[in-house]
């Protein structure tokens, strides 16, 4: 599944993305480190967990996607890989919910890439996948990420203390959420209405590949 809006593309992350993904991640190490998940210390006598390699990460993402628990995407802008977005923790039954995590190359921050990518993912989750609720969990100090959800109109639901192990410690997170009833016109359409109009900008498309 490939989702596009103009120059912004969400498509499945691939093994052959390794070289570019690692280069983008390396260039943005200082920019991303404060917000990245880390492995907590092991319990006394327990095994020490290691961060996965790129290939291990992609294999895990594919397995979770095949099980219906995750939607992993690479983000492209102007034809090049600039980040990653994952819809994870997908739960069905009486909940029908998932949560979105993302990162983007600092060189394209502020160009609307991430709000558009999140809007594309939300519309896909609500309209195609059939989820009812989407969450985004953000550290209070992460102002750029908070601006993304604020631009898109996510609703604040408070704080989860020491929610995730980030940058070497258990960190508080702000919770933002939306349900499908809150965006009847679609997230992408609402986002595009709220930003300056670009003459000739093409409409959103969705292609199955």
């Amino acid at each position: 599944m490939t989702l596009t809006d103009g120059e912004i593309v969400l498509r499945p992350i691939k093994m052959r993305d390794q070289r570019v993904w690692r280069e983008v991640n390396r260039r943005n190490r200082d920019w991303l480190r404060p917000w990245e998940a880390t492995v907590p210390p092991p319990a006394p006598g327990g095994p020490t967990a290691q961060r996965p390699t790129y290939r291990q990460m992609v294999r895990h993402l594919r397995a979770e996607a095949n099980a219906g628990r995750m939607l992993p995407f690479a983000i492209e802008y102007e034809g090049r890989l600039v980040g990653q977005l994952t819809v994870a923790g997908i739960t069905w039954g009486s909940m029908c919910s998932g949560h979105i995590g993302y990162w983007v190359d600092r060189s394209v921050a502020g160009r609307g890439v991430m709000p558009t990518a999140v809007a594309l993912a939300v519309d896909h989750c609500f309209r195609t996948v059939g989820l009812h609720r989407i969450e985004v969990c953000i550290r209070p100090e992460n102002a750029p990420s908070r601006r993304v959800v604020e631009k898109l109109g996510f609703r604040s639901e408070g704080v989860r203390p020491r929610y995730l192990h980030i940058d070497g410690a258990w960190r508080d997170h702000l919770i933002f959420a939306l349900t499908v009833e809150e965006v009847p016109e679609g997230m992408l359409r609402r986002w595009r209405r709220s930003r300056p109009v670009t003459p000739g900008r093409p409409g959103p498309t969705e292609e199955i590949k």
Side-chain angles (χ1 to χ4, degrees):
M1 174 68 70
T2 299
L3 312 173
T4 69
D5 181 54
E7 295 290 339
I8 299 165
V9 177
L10 290 183
R11 49 99 173 150
I13 192 165
K14 303 171 183 176
M15 284 292 185
R16 65 173 178 263
D17 292 323
Q18 179 173 352
R19 182 186 60 80
V20 176
W21 186 96
R22 289 171 66 90
E23 191 277 327
V24 173
N25 203 268
R26 180 193 57 77
R27 278 195 291 103
N28 287 273
R29 197 87 303 274
D30 292 341
W31 161 255
L32 298 174
R33 184 179 293 111
W35 325 119
E36 283 196 336
T38 45
V39 179
T48 300
Q50 301 291 329
R51 285 182 64 88
T53 65
Y54 177 86
R55 297 182 70 83
Q56 289 170 335
M57 177 191 74
V58 173
R59 281 195 293 267
H60 170 72
L61 294 176
R62 285 180 175 175
E64 290 295 289
N66 290 336
R69 293 187 292 262
M70 189 176 287
L71 296 169
F73 294 104
I75 304 171
E76 290 185 352
Y77 177 62
E78 296 182 341
R80 63 187 179 96
L81 190 150
V82 296
Q84 186 174 342
L85 181 149
T86 303
V87 185
I90 294 176
T91 303
W92 298 102
S94 58
M95 182 172 284
C96 291
S97 178
H99 55 84
I100 291 179
Y102 49 79
W103 63 266
V104 71
D105 190 332
R106 190 174 190 174
S107 69
V108 302
R111 302 187 193 182
V113 174
M114 191 50 72
T116 301
V118 172
L120 283 165
V122 168
D123 282 351
H124 179 64
C125 287
F126 285 164
R127 295 179 168 186
T128 304
V129 179
L131 296 184
H132 175 254
R133 171 186 167 90
I134 291 291
E135 284 188 0
V136 181
C137 306
I138 302 171
R139 284 187 61 184
E141 304 88 348
N142 191 345
S145 192
R146 290 176 63 178
R147 283 196 292 272
V148 170
V149 294
E150 289 163 1
K151 288 175 181 178
L152 293 174
F154 275 76
R155 168 174 34 82
S156 174
E157 291 192 337
V159 180
R160 290 180 184 162
R162 296 172 297 282
Y163 179 58
L164 291 173
H165 201 271
I166 304 290
D167 193 29
W170 294 103
R171 310 287 186 176
D172 296 351
H173 278 66
L174 301 175
I175 308 304
F176 298 87
L178 276 176
T179 61
V180 66
E181 294 89 352
E182 293 173 87
V183 281
E185 76 277 33
M187 174 66 78
L188 184 61
R189 182 171 296 177
R190 185 166 79 177
W191 160 235
R192 292 178 70 187
R193 278 208 316 266
S194 71
R195 61 187 303 203
V197 176
T198 302
R201 183 180 178 86
T205 63
E206 184 171 298
E207 302 171 356
I208 300 176
K209 295 186 177 179

